[in-house]
Structures are given as C-alpha cells and as structure tokens.
C-alpha cells in the first residue's frame, strides 16, 4: 500500500497557469532568506496600452522587490516575456515523498534591471567581481626560521610536520637508494679491470654492488670497455672487449 501511495500523482492543480522566471542570483538569495516570511517579497506591475488592449506585444511587466538586504541591489526590474518555448509543467514533492503537479507554464520571463537601476546594478557587479579577485593566500612568519622541520633528514623519508593530523610512517631508505659519489674515471677503470680478472662476466647489479658507483655512470664506463651479451648462456651480462682482454693478459704476463 505504501508503494502505491508514493507513486500517486496529485493532479488537482494541473490546469493552473504558472509563470516561469529566470532571476539574478542576488534576487534569488533575497527571496530564499524570506522563505519562512508570510509577507510578499515582490509585486508585479502590468502596464497595458489603452489604444491596443488586445495586442499582447504592448503588455509590459515590471517587478518591484519589497526589500533588499544587499547594498546596490536594484529594486525595480523589467520582465521580458517569451511565449515561444517548449511546453513545461511544474511539479512539487514533499519531504514525505508526495508528488503533485502544480500547473502548466504559460509565460516565461527573464529579469533585467530597470533602466533607472542600471548604474546601481553595474556597481554591484563590479563589487562582486572585485571580491572574487581578492587573494585568499596569506604570508605568515614561521617561528622556527632555520627550516629544520622542512628539510628531510639523511636516510629518512615520509617526514611530516609535527602538527599534521595524517602522520605518515617514517621508514629508513635502503642502502641501494642512497646517493653514491662518483670515483675518478681512471681509478674506476682500474677497479673494473681487476673485477673482470676475477671473473669474465658481470651483471650491472653485481658491478654496482662491488664498486658502489651510480648505475648511470657505471654504464658509461661499461659501454667503452665491455660488450653486453643479449643472448646465449651469458645473456644479460657484460664482458671485456677483445682488445681490453688482450691488454689485460699482457699485463699479467709482465
């Protein structure tokens, strides 16, 4: 029974004529502030040309607000009426879920400040624009100007300010992630020759561990001294170029 009641549409006011009006935001806010007030919020004045009483184009609508809470808000508006629009109906729904048809839209209006209020309305628009352009950022002086809390400590990541609500877990950085210092190029080449005397094939990871050098710097040396095996039993490893193997053997012989 409850589902049947909630799906019932009240149509007692379906044939009632309703006016649909597009109003400025400042007017909408003014009316919403008086939603619980029983007093009229505005009045509509209809002007008719007595010489053309049957001509709908001679009708002029003007709306005058009962009160304005905002400075420079125009009180008088011209209502531009439109009849050429898609047929529409107005519906309402209560907090209990009761849906009713309130009527059919007969006239559609656009509100425009009356000519005598154009200057005040223009001032209101400028004030609104200037307010939006105000920067909300503020410059504050930090008590601890040494910047210790803003500088990450060696070997630690995930540091946050002590006053932060969402504190991250502080984890130590792995040794492989620590910044390595480059050796002298000639010194590193001597170390590489000695390593390849120990064994003929090395992976890049093994050489980084043995030399404790940056991987990119190590690749530059390897590209000059070694050949990279892309296939075969030693795939993925480096070995000395033939000319360097010969020079290494000559040194051993001496």
């Amino acid at each position: 029974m409850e589902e049947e009641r909630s799906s019932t549409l009240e149509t007692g006011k379906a044939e009632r004529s309703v006016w649909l009006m597009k109003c400025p935001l400042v007017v909408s806010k003014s009316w919403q502030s008086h939603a619980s007030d029983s007093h009229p919020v505005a009045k509509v004045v209809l002007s008719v040309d007595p010489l053309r009483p049957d001509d709908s184009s001679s009708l002029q609508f003007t709306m005058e607000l009962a009160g304005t809470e905002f400075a420079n808000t125009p009180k008088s508006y011209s209502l531009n009426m439109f009849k050429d629009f898609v047929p529409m109906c107005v519906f309402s729904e209560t907090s209990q879920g009761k849906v009713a048809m309130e009527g059919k839209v007969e006239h559609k209006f656009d509100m425009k400040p009356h000519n005598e209020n154009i200057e005040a309305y223009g001032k209101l628009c400028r004030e609104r624009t200037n307010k939006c352009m105000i920067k909300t950022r503020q410059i504050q002086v930090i008590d601890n100007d040494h910047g210790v809390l803003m500088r990450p400590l060696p070997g630690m990541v995930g540091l946050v300010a002590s006053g932060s609500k969402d504190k991250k877990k502080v984890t130590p950085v792995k040794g492989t992630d620590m910044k390595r210092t480059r050796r002298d190029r000639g010194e590193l080449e001597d170390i590489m020759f000695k390593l390849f005397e120990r064994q003929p094939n090395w992976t890049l990871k093994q050489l980084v561990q043995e030399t404790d050098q940056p991987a990119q710097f190590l690749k530059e040396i390897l590209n000059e001294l070694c050949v990279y095996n892309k296939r075969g039993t030693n795939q993925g490893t480096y070995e000395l170029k033939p000319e360097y193997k010969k020079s290494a053997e000559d040194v051993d012989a001496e």
Side-chain angles (χ1 to χ4, degrees):
M1 290 296 292
E2 292 181 359
E3 293 181 358
E4 293 180 359
R5 290 178 182 176
S6 61
S7 61
T8 302
L9 176 63
E10 177 63 40
T11 59
K13 302 177 182 178
E15 299 301 324
R16 185 175 63 167
S17 296
V18 179
W19 291 3
L20 178 64
M21 183 173 60
K22 181 180 179 182
C23 62
L25 181 61
V26 65
V27 176
S28 176
K29 289 183 177 180
S30 176
W31 288 351
Q32 289 177 5
S33 63
H34 293 86
S36 59
D37 193 352
S38 59
H39 296 85
V41 294
K43 68 177 181 179
V44 177
V45 179
L46 173 60
S47 303
V48 182
D49 187 350
L51 300 178
R52 296 182 300 166
D54 298 330
D55 188 0
S56 59
S57 62
S58 65
L59 300 178
Q60 293 183 358
F61 295 87
T62 305
M63 175 175 288
E64 295 180 0
L65 302 184
T68 55
E69 291 73 21
F70 306 98
N72 299 320
T73 302
K75 296 189 64 175
S76 181
Y77 293 84
S78 298
L79 303 183
N80 300 325
M81 183 176 66
F82 299 92
K83 284 190 174 182
D84 186 15
F85 56 88
V86 178
M88 291 179 285
C89 299
V90 179
F91 296 88
S92 64
E93 183 178 4
T94 63
S95 57
Q96 291 78 22
K98 184 178 179 181
V99 181
M101 185 174 178
E102 298 295 339
K104 296 180 180 179
V105 177
E106 181 182 6
H107 298 304
K108 182 181 178 182
F109 296 91
D110 283 344
M111 291 183 65
K112 177 184 176 182
H114 207 267
N115 293 335
E116 61 187 22
N117 300 125
I118 285 295
E119 185 178 351
Y121 186 69
K123 187 175 181 180
L124 175 66
C125 293
R126 287 192 296 271
E127 289 177 355
R128 185 169 54 192
T129 303
N130 294 333
K131 186 176 180 181
C132 294
M133 294 177 64
I134 296 176
K135 296 182 180 180
T136 57
R137 295 180 180 179
Q138 297 181 354
I139 300 177
Q140 296 182 351
V141 179
I142 302 175
D143 294 336
N144 182 9
D145 57 354
H146 298 292
V148 177
L149 299 177
M150 296 182 290
R151 184 172 60 249
L153 299 176
M156 306 296 285
V157 295
L159 293 179
V160 295
S162 58
S164 176
K165 295 181 180 179
D166 303 326
K167 292 187 177 181
K168 297 181 180 179
K169 185 178 180 181
V170 179
T171 55
V173 176
K174 296 181 180 179
T176 56
D177 296 335
M178 296 292 289
K179 187 175 180 180
R180 295 181 170 89
T181 304
R182 291 189 178 191
R183 289 177 176 268
D184 178 72
R185 197 178 189 89
E187 181 183 356
L188 181 58
E189 288 181 357
D190 293 340
I191 295 174
M192 297 287 286
F193 283 128
K194 291 180 180 179
L195 289 174
F196 279 101
E197 288 176 7
R198 190 196 309 173
Q199 67 182 49
N201 297 91
W202 293 85
T203 64
L204 178 62
K205 184 178 180 180
Q206 291 173 334
L207 291 172
V208 170
Q209 293 176 348
E210 290 287 338
T211 60
D212 193 27
Q213 292 295 290
Q216 188 61 37
F217 180 50
L218 206 55
K219 280 185 179 180
E220 296 177 7
I221 304 297
L222 290 171
N223 290 335
E224 295 180 4
L225 304 180
C226 303
V227 177
Y228 182 71
N229 296 310
K230 297 182 179 180
R231 57 181 63 88
T233 56
N234 296 320
Q235 182 180 2
T237 63
Y238 290 88
E239 65 179 59
L240 285 176
K241 293 180 179 180
E243 57 268 28
Y244 291 112
K245 285 184 179 180
K246 184 176 180 182
S247 60
E249 291 174 356
D250 294 341
V251 172
D252 291 342
E254 292 177 359

